[in-house]
Amino acid sequence: MIYGILLESCRDGICHTYGTSVWQRLVEELSFESESFTTLGRYDETLIERLAECLAETLNDGGPDFYMQYFGECFVNFFTNYGFDKILRVAGRHFREFLFSIDQLHDSNRFSFPKMKSPLFHVTDEDDNGAVLHYKSKRRGFQQYIIGQLRTCASKFFKQEIFIRIQDDLSSNEYTHIVFRVDFNNKLASQIKTSLVKNPKLPNVTGATFFKVFPFAILIDANMRIHHMGNKIKFIFPAGTVLHGRHFEDVFRLIRPDILLEWNRVLAYGRHLVFVIENRIPLRPNASVLAKKFGTTASNVQLRLKGQMKSLPAWNMIVFLCRPVLTTTEEMLGVGLFLDDLNFYDGSSEILIAGMQHAQTLQAAIDKQQAWIGKLKNSKRELQEWRRKGKRLLYNMMPRHVAQLLQDGVLANSICESHKLITVLFAYSIDFKEVVQKLKPEQIVESINATVNAFDQCAEHFDVFRVETKADSSYMVVSGIQDRSAAQQRRESIASGSTLHSVALTEDLASDVKNPLGLNQAEIIAGLSLDLVKSSKRLINPMTQQPFRVKIGFHSGSAVGGIVGAKNFQYCLFGDTINTASRITTTGEPGRVHMSDTSYALLKDTIYFEIQNKGKTELKGKGAVETYWLIGPKSDYTSAIEQDPFRYQDETHAAISQHQATMYETTTKSKLDVNPAADHSPSIKRSSNFQQRPGSTSSGSCPFSGQHLGTKTST
């Protein structure tokens, strides 16, 4: 796991360099819960690598290694922009000193990031032209990230141009171990060696004097056995405990760095690394009593010692110069130490006293921050939920391609389009005038709601768009306008600046989830109209206690569509086709489906429906025209519907509009994901709306008779 500050620095860099639209696309591609990260939150450590890979694919410029280096640069810049660069600037006067201090910088952040698994950095060799830097971590794939960080630190804080290459890879199954060769002007190294030679010689220091100066010190011989230790450390162990001559690891456990405790390794790592150890054997019993008094059980009383391993060639030993790691008085008393035991020259006592004074304030600030983080997470979840609800509402109000245009920033009132061929269906109850006159207002609303919900339930299973429902309970549905692609409709000149690109929705728009049989628009409306007839028989008139008498009719032709209104947007259709469809409906009969001759031209060769000629019908403004009755489904249609397991799966679902929008909003997961091997009907084709099949058309001519049905589009 990694802290969110690493990911937040990546987000900041991408938004600054490539723009927020690219970051939003990455968020969609990688299915992030939110567009930002909590600084102290914990996240999967593979997210940075996934970000680099996704960014390389999105921009199609450079590979993942390039962007991992870029993320390393972003981290340093992020630190700088928010004032954290002071920590890096005090690491050393020169870049050489900075390399030696990297490990201490990580250790100093343990209070801000207590769960951080710090990597290990140490310099093993140096010359006038650079140094050899070892990087060791339990994480994988961060070596390029480190290169980016080092380059940026060198140029930003030390005004040096450096060159880094991977000299060796000593990684194992347990950890990553990379050896970097860092080339830079390092003449300071030879100057330091010269100055060390000129140091004056002093008399040898006796052991008594040494341990008086360093009461928390441990002498270790070449066999890694304890030769001697300061009285302050010996005092915390039970009286009579044999400590001298025992192997170091029998008494203490090495916490940091994560290395094997061997003589040569300690000499190599000890020059510039911070070592942290804790006791293995139990402490003095009275310490455990104090621990119980202050709320710490005897089983977990531990003393941690932090310091540096120094070589003493004159004694042929290593000395661990350390101090106890204590943050509260409870910890100090728990291990049996007092202020008088601590060193006065290293500030340990002052730090502890200051910590006591500010502990309560700091804890209150931490609790407040944690509460704020929790509130922020809840706010982000609520924001995402409201965004989803907004999209659902938008996709209920507009055709798919129009909704996508609005999401891409196209101004609403600039959308106007011509449809060569659509099929419009009207359904309305001829009993509703009587109902409105005699029922109470709440009963009227209940009747309208029952009718609309029942019809919506039917329309949910077909690839249609409901245009409007009027106060007289008339129901208007259109097929054929969902076939358009938003990408073909986009006009760059009228795009607004607040564009929120949704890749997932774009992919879903391109897939057909409601037309498994590959029906043409008239066949879709025919199937829907038969369902409406069946559903209307379950709608009871509260006045007569009989089913409502519903007329249904449809007509095919051209129309113009667009969004009207400045605040309350509504997608409307205009043209003679709409009027003709309404007249076809009014001249029909209750309980039957009436259709025009142009719709019949799209249905006459269908294998799914049975049609009967009605004869001449007088239409207002049209004269006598040939019309037809839709009698019912044929056996091929019935068997196909029965084999579709998704056909009636949502009949008991109450939230119809929400379900409809969800099918376009969720990640690409087609409702028609059926195993082709289980399809026993060769006549059924699970295809998209854009499939070309007999009987399907999007042009202005009937595919069967060749009759011209529409006008030339002018979008």
Side-chain angles (χ1 to χ4, degrees):
M1 302 292 286
I2 58 176
Y3 277 98
I5 190 171
L6 298 179
L7 294 166
E8 187 65 10
S9 67
C10 297
R11 183 200 66 80
D12 183 77
I14 292 173
C15 292
H16 182 266
T17 306
Y18 302 107
T20 55
S21 60
V22 172
W23 173 250
Q24 288 162 355
R25 184 172 179 181
L26 295 176
V27 170
E28 296 282 357
E29 289 283 352
L30 297 174
S31 301
F32 288 162
E33 293 182 0
S34 63
E35 294 185 5
S36 60
F37 303 94
T38 305
T39 303
L40 296 178
R42 305 273 286 163
Y43 300 90
D44 186 357
E45 63 187 37
T46 63
L47 288 182
I48 291 186
E49 284 188 278
R50 291 171 55 196
L51 264 176
E53 294 171 356
C54 189
L55 186 59
E57 294 178 1
T58 301
L59 300 178
N60 196 25
D61 182 19
D65 286 350
F66 172 81
Y67 292 105
M68 285 297 289
Q69 290 188 24
Y70 169 72
F71 290 156
E73 298 173 8
C74 292
F75 182 78
V76 178
N77 292 328
F78 184 79
F79 255 49
T80 303
N81 294 338
Y82 289 89
F84 295 108
D85 59 311
K86 297 176 182 178
I87 300 175
L88 301 176
R89 293 184 186 276
V90 300
R93 296 180 181 85
H94 308 281
F95 183 67
R96 171 189 178 275
E97 297 172 352
F98 172 78
L99 291 180
F100 284 112
S101 304
I102 295 177
D103 196 67
Q104 297 180 41
L105 290 174
H106 280 101
D107 186 72
S108 65
N109 287 322
R110 63 187 179 89
F111 296 105
S112 300
F113 305 96
K115 295 182 180 180
M116 178 174 64
K117 295 180 180 179
S118 303
L120 184 66
F121 291 90
H122 75 284
V123 177
T124 57
D125 191 19
E126 60 175 328
D127 52 43
D128 290 349
N129 298 316
V132 176
L133 178 68
H134 286 247
Y135 160 72
K136 185 178 178 182
S137 174
K138 291 186 177 181
R139 297 192 180 97
R140 303 288 182 180
F142 274 70
Q143 50 265 36
Q144 299 297 329
Y145 188 87
I146 299 300
I147 291 175
Q149 287 182 318
L150 292 175
R151 283 178 176 167
T152 307
C153 286
S155 62
K156 184 178 288 289
F157 305 128
F158 303 98
K159 309 303 179 184
Q160 277 203 7
E161 183 178 359
I162 66 172
F163 299 93
I164 308 175
R165 67 179 187 276
I166 296 177
Q167 182 171 293
D168 199 2
D169 188 344
L170 306 178
S171 303
S172 64
N173 294 331
E174 297 180 358
Y175 54 81
T176 298
H177 187 175
I178 304 297
V179 181
F180 294 108
R181 172 62 192 186
V182 186
D183 293 328
F184 62 97
N185 184 5
N186 193 28
K187 293 182 179 180
L188 182 66
S190 59
Q191 296 174 7
I192 292 175
K193 291 179 181 178
T194 304
S195 63
L196 289 176
V197 174
K198 297 178 181 179
N199 285 339
K201 290 186 178 181
L202 299 175
N204 291 332
V205 178
T206 64
T209 303
F210 181 86
F211 283 101
K212 186 176 181 180
V213 175
F214 303 108
F216 290 95
I218 304 173
L219 274 178
I220 309 167
D221 62 21
N223 296 318
M224 298 306 294
R225 294 186 179 276
I226 298 174
H227 183 75
H228 196 75
M229 64 174 56
N231 291 332
K232 300 298 184 182
I233 300 179
K234 287 191 292 185
F235 179 77
I236 65 175
F237 291 100
T241 302
V242 178
L243 299 173
H244 297 165
R246 297 182 66 174
H247 196 278
F248 188 84
E249 287 192 302
D250 291 340
V251 182
F252 298 100
R253 178 188 298 108
L254 182 62
I255 303 300
R256 175 179 173 83
D258 183 17
I259 62 172
L260 293 176
L261 201 62
E262 299 174 348
W263 177 264
N264 292 332
R265 288 181 181 270
V266 172
L267 289 178
Y269 286 82
R271 291 182 296 170
H272 310 289
L273 296 187
V274 176
F275 280 70
V276 179
I277 64 173
E278 69 179 12
N279 61 292
R280 284 186 183 271
I281 61 178
L283 302 180
R284 184 183 289 267
N286 64 338
S288 298
V289 173
L290 287 170
K292 290 180 180 179
K293 181 179 179 180
F294 289 97
T296 308
T297 61
S299 60
N300 64 8
V301 173
Q302 298 289 336
L303 173 64
R304 288 200 171 187
L305 299 171
K306 177 181 178 182
Q308 196 169 10
M309 295 283 187
K310 289 290 187 179
S311 174
L312 297 178
W315 294 355
N316 193 28
M317 292 185 187
I318 293 175
V319 59
F320 182 42
L321 301 177
C322 59
R323 62 175 178 82
V325 180
L326 302 169
T327 55
T328 64
T329 53
E330 288 80 4
E331 289 183 10
M332 183 174 65
L333 294 173
V335 298
L337 292 174
F338 296 86
L339 287 177
D340 184 63
D341 297 321
L342 303 180
N343 300 324
F344 293 114
Y345 57 79
D346 64 2
S348 298
S349 57
E350 294 180 6
I351 293 174
L352 185 61
I353 294 173
M356 293 188 316
Q357 296 174 349
H358 298 289
Q360 187 174 1
T361 304
L362 179 61
Q363 186 60 46
I366 292 175
D367 293 341
K368 185 177 181 180
Q369 184 183 37
Q370 292 297 331
W372 181 84
I373 290 173
K375 186 177 180 180
L376 178 62
K377 289 181 178 179
N378 292 332
S379 299
K380 287 181 177 179
R381 283 194 291 267
E382 291 178 2
L383 176 62
Q384 293 298 320
E385 182 59 29
W386 280 110
R387 287 182 61 186
R388 284 192 289 269
K389 289 180 179 179
K391 290 179 182 179
R392 291 171 188 162
L393 180 61
L394 179 63
Y395 277 83
N396 280 331
M397 296 172 57
M398 304 291 165
R400 289 195 298 263
H401 68 284
V402 175
Q404 186 59 43
L405 287 172
L406 293 176
Q407 279 197 301
D408 285 348
V410 177
L411 300 179
N413 294 125
S414 68
I415 298 177
C416 182
E417 53 190 4
S418 173
H419 299 281
K420 293 181 181 179
L421 182 63
I422 60 173
T423 300
V424 182
L425 176 144
F426 279 98
Y428 77 97
S429 171
I430 61 177
D431 301 327
F432 201 73
K433 286 186 178 181
E434 182 182 3
V435 170
V436 171
Q437 293 173 354
K438 297 183 179 180
L439 290 182
K440 297 179 180 179
E442 58 269 21
Q443 292 176 315
I444 297 174
V445 173
E446 289 178 0
S447 296
I448 295 177
N449 192 45
T451 302
V452 172
N453 284 345
F455 287 177
D456 279 348
Q457 187 76 48
C458 298
E460 173 66 18
H461 302 292
F462 295 87
D463 191 21
V464 296
F465 174 68
R466 191 188 80 183
V467 179
E468 62 181 6
T469 301
K470 294 183 178 179
D472 61 354
S473 193
S474 63
Y475 194 81
M476 177 180 174
V477 175
V478 181
S479 177
I481 65 174
Q482 302 276 50
D483 293 347
R484 293 197 172 192
S485 169
Q488 299 173 355
Q489 301 288 321
R490 190 177 293 112
R491 283 179 254 182
E492 299 293 342
S493 60
I494 55 175
S496 67
S498 57
T499 299
L500 180 61
H501 184 67
S502 175
V503 177
L505 286 171
T506 304
E507 293 177 353
D508 288 338
L509 289 176
S511 63
D512 177 23
V513 295
K514 296 185 177 183
N515 190 11
L517 304 182
L519 304 177
N520 67 33
Q521 56 181 263
E523 290 174 322
I524 291 173
I525 290 295
L528 171 60
S529 62
L530 294 177
D531 274 14
L532 294 179
V533 171
K534 186 187 301 183
S535 179
S536 66
K537 294 179 180 179
R538 296 193 292 269
L539 298 173
I540 304 302
N541 187 335
M543 301 292 301
T544 63
Q545 298 303 314
Q546 297 294 321
F548 275 109
R549 294 178 295 167
V550 177
K551 287 186 176 183
I552 300 173
F554 60 89
H555 169 65
S556 301
S558 60
V560 174
I563 296 179
V564 298
K567 292 185 178 180
N568 299 323
F569 297 146
Q570 184 176 7
Y571 186 84
C572 297
L573 289 169
F574 307 93
D576 182 67
T577 297
I578 314 302
N579 297 329
T580 303
S582 177
R583 291 163 188 163
I584 288 290
T585 304
T586 57
T587 55
E589 297 177 5
R592 303 189 73 179
V593 180
H594 194 200
M595 75 175 74
S596 68
D597 57 341
T598 53
S599 295
Y600 171 73
L602 299 173
L603 289 171
K604 66 177 183 179
D605 292 331
T606 181
I607 61 173
Y608 296 125
F609 302 101
E610 184 178 349
I611 303 171
Q612 178 183 335
N613 186 283
K614 178 179 181 292
K616 296 290 184 178
T617 300
E618 190 71 26
L619 298 181
K620 182 179 179 181
K622 298 284 185 180
V625 297
E626 199 81 13
T627 59
Y628 300 84
W629 296 115
L630 178 64
I631 303 302
K634 293 183 180 179
S635 59
D636 286 344
Y637 183 79
T638 304
S639 61
I641 293 300
E642 291 175 351
Q643 289 183 24
D644 184 358
F646 302 99
R647 178 66 178 88
Y648 295 109
Q649 67 176 354
D650 298 316
E651 284 196 351
T652 59
H653 198 292
I656 299 169
S657 62
Q658 178 176 347
H659 171 71
Q660 180 177 4
T662 303
M663 291 197 306
Y664 299 120
E665 185 178 348
T666 53
T667 55
T668 308
K669 185 175 181 182
S670 176
K671 189 176 179 182
L672 308 172
D673 186 13
V674 182
N675 185 358
D679 190 355
H680 303 292
S681 176
S683 62
I684 303 174
K685 299 180 180 179
R686 287 172 172 80
S687 59
S688 68
N689 274 344
F690 306 106
Q691 176 187 8
Q692 296 299 321
R693 63 179 295 280
S696 177
T697 181
S698 59
S699 65
S701 310
C702 173
F704 310 108
S705 63
Q707 178 182 354
H708 184 69
L709 299 177
T711 61
K712 184 176 181 180
T713 181
S714 58
T715 57

